[in-house]
Amino acid sequence: MLHDIGPAGTPFVLPDPAFDIQTVIRKYRIPGYLVNWWDRMDVESMVRRGERILKPTPFNEYDGDYYRVPSFPLIEAGITKADVVRFWKDKPEYVFPPISNCVMCFHHTIQQHQKQWQHPQNVAKMHWAADAEAKKGYTFLKKYSMEQIRNLPIQTELEFSDFSGCDSGACTD
């Protein structure tokens, strides 16, 4: 896919009408649950229209060796968040994070990032994210940097159920 860097480091993406997602699926042996997710999100059409850039390889690779290949056995087995919550309900000795275990995830809302800045276990990770953004010269999120989010006025309290992005199958809880 052809793309160029525009003002403020934002990529311009050109449409790629010849893009064939089946080739990517076969080449990298993409698991079925991920193929289903790509189908639901209509990734192929988005790449063809130039709305999304697909990385050259869907996994991290160094010198021909793939690492951090996604593996989601619970999703593959059809186990949902509700199943997990039901299982752990009577086991109070195990505490789960109220948002998710993905600190500084770009799927999180501004309110979730603000909560992560306030949580003592997450502060060092949030500082790392802010420093990484400063070193790279661009932000992980579209509108705000992690440092800007830290300094925004605190938003009103919301219920966890308001955060449907974390229930999309892309996150770990």
Side-chain angles (χ1 to χ4, degrees):
M1 162 146 326
L2 300 173
H3 64 278
D4 198 359
I5 302 299
T10 58
F12 288 122
V13 183
L14 299 176
D16 183 5
F19 177 74
D20 176 28
I21 204 162
Q22 290 302 317
T23 302
V24 175
I25 291 167
R26 280 191 301 276
K27 181 176 180 180
Y28 297 106
R29 290 183 235 120
I30 306 295
Y33 65 90
L34 192 53
V35 172
N36 291 339
W37 184 246
W38 284 0
D39 284 344
R40 276 188 250 148
M41 292 189 59
D42 198 20
V43 171
E44 183 171 28
S45 294
M46 290 168 61
V47 172
R48 286 182 179 187
R49 289 191 304 265
E51 297 169 7
R52 177 179 290 261
I53 298 172
L54 194 65
K55 294 182 345 181
T57 63
F59 309 123
N60 294 322
E61 179 262 336
Y62 176 75
D63 200 24
D65 185 26
Y66 295 104
Y67 64 97
R68 287 183 56 199
V69 176
S71 174
F72 304 101
L74 295 178
I75 294 173
E76 291 176 41
I79 296 172
T80 66
K81 179 180 178 179
D83 297 327
V84 173
V85 169
R86 194 171 23 259
F87 176 83
W88 290 106
K89 183 179 179 187
D90 299 325
K91 298 167 182 69
E93 64 272 19
Y94 298 99
V95 179
F96 290 91
I99 298 172
S100 96
N101 64 348
C102 300
V103 177
M104 73 204 165
C105 175
F106 54 85
H107 290 298
H108 285 174
T109 64
I110 291 171
Q111 292 86 354
Q112 288 171 309
H113 286 295
Q114 287 177 315
K115 282 196 165 290
Q116 290 173 344
W117 269 112
Q118 295 170 2
H119 197 286
Q121 288 181 316
N122 296 335
V123 171
K125 294 174 186 171
M126 296 303 286
H127 278 290
W128 176 90
D131 290 346
E133 286 180 329
K135 287 177 186 173
K136 292 277 187 183
Y138 59 86
T139 63
F140 297 131
L141 304 173
K142 290 181 182 177
K143 294 184 179 182
Y144 298 102
S145 70
M146 292 295 174
E147 192 66 37
Q148 288 171 319
I149 289 172
R150 176 184 181 198
N151 297 321
L152 285 172
I154 299 299
Q155 303 292 310
T156 58
E157 185 69 26
L158 299 172
E159 293 292 321
F160 181 73
S161 59
D162 294 338
F163 305 123
S164 60
C166 290
D167 295 328
S168 65
C171 293
T172 58
D173 42 287

